[in-house]
Amino acid sequence: MTTLTIARLGHLGDGIAPGPVFVPMALPGEVVEGALDGERMVDPKIVAPSPDRVKAPCRHYRACGGCALMHASDGFVAGWKTDVVRQALTAQGLEAPFRPILTSPPRSRRRATFSGRRTKAGAIVGFHGRRSGTITEIPDCQILDPRLTALLPMLEAITVAGGSRSAELALAATLTDRGIDLAVRNGKPVEPALFAELARIAGEADLARLSWDGEVIAMARPPARRFGRADVVPPAGAFLQATAQGEAALVAAVTEAVGKAGPVADLFAGCGTFALPLAERAEVHAVEGEAAMVAALDAGWRGAEGLHRVTTEARDLFRRPLLPDELNRFGAVVIDPPRAGAEAQTAQIAASRVPVVAAVSCNPVTFARDARLLCNAGFSIDWIEVVDQFRWSPHVELSARLSR
């Protein structure tokens, strides 16, 4: 047995002791004891707990890998996530004013991808265990909207019908304004008997839409989501913000950052989370790499009333970023890239005459790297707001305003 003192948290939420040694479910300052397996401590015992340690509110916490920080107080997690962003900026030689963090409440996640596997007795559906391929059932999950956990019996039925003993289904369930949108991947080929069984299950569960490896099996009604004044029907399995509260916070921040500027370019626009609300104030040009998402955004705009003109473009912004002569006509740019950031596109914004950038990021490290390019070109960071949609996880999101 080895005794260690935790120095800090790692980016995955593990405690880190000198060595380094990674200790799951440990907090800075705690004294822990356990056996070492390489760089990890196995089944650590907390000898001296931190004052920030709390009892996890979920009975599945130790077995489930969906959450990593339920053993820490809300105040500690909020401070740690803000510090993660601050440290990423410091590494790039940057500073910024921080607004208070906005954290989504428990039981507010409106989308989740469950894992499903057939068993001899039927099926098991849930989330993977911590650092494990084992699926843990989570009927009392404290992070999901109860309407998602209520789906578990139906997801088990789908797994029995269309899963195999040798493969694992990915069951992506999303709450929409018109019911559940369920997109399943890795299923068996859809033959007539399976098609009929899946359609029956979807009908009994009143799913808005069921798709199977990209093919729509049943659609009782279009699974629309409202963005501003527009109703949008996203492609099956499309990215959407995880909580209503998180989306509202990000939209409010982007709207404030853009202000009265116009026209606006919305880059990595998705299905229009920002573009359509912004169109209530100004013309918007929305650019997104996925053509199906662009089509959904465009259809939503065309079906709405009272919006300014929204133009769309399907374009790979990693390979073909908008160039300065294309950007110079915009009064503001909104940019919400994936975790890899948008270094190539940001370099073109830096070289343009765009005066304001509203940035949204799910990776503080790549945000800070890209912000450094803008600051080198004469921008300053007016403010940063950390948005914690993924409560009890190490995942960090933020919005920011940068101006020349």
Side-chain angles (χ1 to χ4, degrees):
M1 302 292 284
T2 302
T3 301
L4 298 170
T5 299
I6 303 301
R8 58 187 176 87
L9 286 193
H11 69 281
L12 296 179
D14 285 344
I16 300 180
V21 176
F22 297 89
V23 184
M25 299 187 190
L27 297 174
E30 290 188 327
V31 178
V32 298
E33 182 180 83
L36 297 185
D37 181 7
E39 293 183 337
R40 297 195 63 78
M41 179 173 281
V42 182
D43 294 327
K45 176 184 178 182
I46 308 299
V47 177
S50 164
D52 290 308
R53 177 169 289 277
V54 298
K55 181 181 179 181
C58 181
R59 68 182 177 92
H60 308 301
Y61 182 50
R62 295 200 68 84
C64 175
C67 293
L69 292 166
M70 272 190 171
H71 58 283
S73 69
D74 288 350
F76 173 86
V77 175
W80 178 70
K81 291 196 174 189
T82 301
D83 284 343
V84 166
V85 180
R86 186 176 285 112
Q87 290 165 14
L89 293 175
T90 299
Q92 295 290 338
L94 300 175
E95 295 181 347
F98 277 77
R99 294 178 167 185
I101 188 171
L102 299 174
T103 301
S104 293
R107 296 180 179 267
S108 63
R109 282 286 299 274
R110 57 186 180 178
R111 64 175 176 85
T113 299
F114 301 91
S115 296
R117 184 181 290 275
R118 278 183 55 194
T119 65
K120 290 181 180 180
I124 183 170
V125 174
F127 295 147
H128 282 130
R130 206 174 306 278
R131 298 184 179 274
S132 167
T134 302
I135 298 174
T136 300
E137 294 180 309
I138 39 86
D140 295 324
C141 180
Q142 297 298 302
I143 208 72
L144 298 179
D145 185 297
R147 288 171 291 178
L148 289 181
T149 50
L151 298 176
L152 290 169
M154 180 270 293
L155 298 178
E156 291 174 4
I158 282 184
T159 302
V160 170
S164 69
R165 297 284 297 277
S166 60
E168 195 172 280
L169 292 184
L171 305 125
T174 302
L175 290 173
T176 76
D177 297 336
R178 298 176 185 172
I180 300 292
D181 186 15
L182 180 62
V184 183
R185 302 191 309 276
N186 305 327
K188 294 191 296 190
V190 180
E191 299 175 349
L194 177 57
F195 187 99
E197 177 64 4
L198 293 174
R200 181 192 68 79
I201 294 172
E204 289 185 355
D206 194 29
L207 297 182
R209 177 172 64 184
L210 170 63
S211 60
W212 194 267
D213 286 322
E215 177 186 355
V216 175
I217 300 295
M219 186 162 70
R221 52 202 170 274
R225 287 274 295 274
R226 193 160 186 85
F227 299 139
R229 299 174 185 170
D231 289 321
V232 176
V233 181
F239 171 81
L240 297 166
Q241 296 296 336
T243 70
Q245 297 86 350
E247 180 179 303
L250 292 172
V251 170
V254 165
T255 302
E256 178 188 346
V258 168
K260 297 181 179 180
V264 179
D266 183 9
L267 309 182
F268 303 94
C271 292
T273 302
F274 303 119
L276 293 166
L278 289 172
E280 297 176 22
R281 302 186 180 191
E283 290 190 3
V284 179
H285 181 58
V287 186
E288 164 60 42
E290 297 292 333
M293 297 179 82
V294 170
L297 191 165
D298 183 65
W301 171 70
R302 293 180 184 279
E305 296 182 355
L307 298 183
H308 289 80
R309 184 167 177 252
V310 176
T311 54
T312 57
E313 182 179 359
R315 179 166 172 172
D316 185 340
L317 293 172
F318 293 104
R319 297 184 178 183
R320 286 202 311 123
L322 267 65
L323 301 176
D325 61 347
E326 298 174 278
L327 291 163
N328 286 338
R329 71 184 183 90
F330 297 110
V333 167
V334 178
I335 188 164
D336 180 15
R339 289 190 60 80
E343 190 171 15
Q345 182 60 79
T346 303
Q348 299 303 319
I349 297 171
S352 75
R353 296 193 298 271
V354 170
V356 173
V357 173
V360 177
S361 175
C362 59
N363 186 339
V365 172
T366 55
F367 165 76
R369 178 201 67 197
D370 295 347
R372 174 77 272 172
L373 294 175
L374 295 175
C375 291
N376 286 346
F379 281 84
S380 61
I381 303 174
D382 298 322
W383 46 259
I384 290 177
E385 187 171 79
V386 179
V387 177
D388 187 7
Q389 291 197 77
F390 296 86
R391 188 186 184 100
W392 295 315
S393 89
H395 188 77
V396 181
E397 294 186 298
L398 64 91
S399 58
R401 185 182 195 270
L402 298 95
S403 64
R404 294 189 191 272

